[in-house]
Amino acid sequence: MASALVAPIQSRRASAPDGEGSADGAPPPAGDFTQRAAVLVQVPGREETVACEQWERRGLLFSRVGDVPQENGTALFRVEVRLLGSRWGALSEAERRVMAALAGRVTARLGDATLLEPDDLPTAASTWHVYRKTTWGRRSRWWQTQAARLWERVGAADVHRRVRLDGPGTHEDALAAVRLRPDLGGVVFNDQHHGVRPGIASAHVLRPQDPAPWHTRVLGLPALAAWAAVMLFGWVLAGLDAWWQVALTPLALAAAWWTGPWIADRERHRRAIVWLCGLALVGGAGMCGYAARVLSMVVPDVNLLGPMGLVLCGLLVLPGCVYALRQSWFSRNAVALLPVVVLPLAWVVPWMGRLAQGLYLSVSLGVPLSAANTDPLWTYLAGVQPALWCIGAALCGLAALGWARHFYWITGSKAYCIAAIGPLTALLILAALAGSLSSATTAAHRTSAQAVAGHDPAPFFGITSRRVCVIPLDAMKTAVQPGPLPTDHPVVAFGATGDETWLWDPQRRKGTADLTERALRVRTDQIVTRPAARGARTCPPS
């Protein structure tokens, strides 16, 4: 039974009970796949033809195991399923596809199932570099000799010549290979003056037929998690005292010894080289977190924790989007669908820009958006941030579908995955839109604070304002809503709309948190405005 599982596929169709010949041929053309599973299926003898037709229709590879029927009158078939996804759940998905292909028309019973190894095991080539032997470390003290060897091992004495061997290779094989071709027109190899050293490569790269190490699986996400942990360690270390930093530094040195084999093979490199490779990996990640914490302490206005979190989230979102789109209907029709997806942005982005500007001016300050004459370019720029946040939220939902597809959850319960991920994606988009538009409310409160402090408010995506002193032409006939017209202190003017000018009084209704109650409307032909002095809190008498 076990040998039947790993036997190669000989034909796509087995011999029919009526004695017809089998259609022997090459496997059908298929897209890329990452897993291969073989499933043994017992089919009643009278239903062999139907089962073969169903598997053929679904493009599955199958062959009959043995020509003699089983004792119970069933035929044993070996069906191969090619999957694009993770090893976790691959066997269950293969069995599900085999039974789903029968569509309930055949009373079949599943037997053994196993994952298959690739037919052609990948072969790796190791690189060996030629270096010039150092003389300053010979016949000297012990530490000078060790320093000279380390100088050679790290490649500082290389003479720009190398040789490649199949597999990991050995030092003797590399010497024999370079001696066969001592002169290529450049460096002439000489045993007395030259030597060979192995290039930096991990054990998995040199021996790909071995089981993949844990940190390389699932696009290396476990290794990225370890890198993030080291980066967080550097972040925390920067906030501690000098004594604590000295006490905790050995943890990074120990982690460097642990991560060194990810880059350099311990069987081919000295322990110092392996440790230095790990130190480069751990030290680089730790210094990123350390420098980010120091920068945030030196420049308080710079908050790098949010961008770092976005980068870490992107490490999960990007592979998920790849899993969702590869060999999908969208990827096969991307040329026709991309214009359909991109063209609506020409209307969506300015709409979001007007939404942000309206939230800042109309909703937060009570001044109609038509009172500000803004350039259309600023409207597009105001909508870029909300659009990007919404696109990022949509990509998170797409990544969730991709991970569900990668682990075969969506194939077994597609309706459940869509019902769960669809509303979650909609909530993420709404949250992203609300979060991105919150900057408009923040800008409105900043405008209020600047006006109260006696400064001209900062512009918000093309909406400019200035502090002015209002002088009525006829105080008795001035039409202002709601009154009265403030003339003793500066107000904020956003511009004139037709016959009306909108003002915003920072000293009106100080006891209320509603900024819209400070807006004023007055006829343009009934007042004269002049700029207020910087920092002035009163206006000179007219």
Side-chain angles (χ1 to χ4, degrees), residues 70 175 177 271 306 346 371 394 513:
Q70 304 290 319
L175 283 177
R271 289 179 293 180

Side-chain angles (χ1 to χ4, degrees), residues 15-90:
S15 299
D18 54 3
E20 295 179 359
S22 62
D24 189 12
D32 295 334
F33 58 92
T34 56
Q35 309 297 335
R36 293 169 58 234
V39 183
L40 291 182
V41 187
Q42 291 184 359
V43 180
R46 62 182 180 277
E47 298 178 350
E48 287 186 45
T49 304
V50 179
C52 294
E53 290 177 354
Q54 292 294 114
W55 288 331
E56 178 115 16
R57 185 178 296 111
R58 293 296 184 95
L60 298 180
L61 304 175
F62 60 90
S63 63
R64 184 170 178 175
V65 180
D67 297 332
V68 181
Q70 304 290 319
E71 296 179 356
N72 54 1
T74 60
L76 187 63
F77 283 86
R78 176 185 181 274
V79 185
E80 180 178 325
V81 183
R82 296 179 176 181
L83 306 169
L84 186 64
S86 172
R87 293 176 65 91
W88 297 341

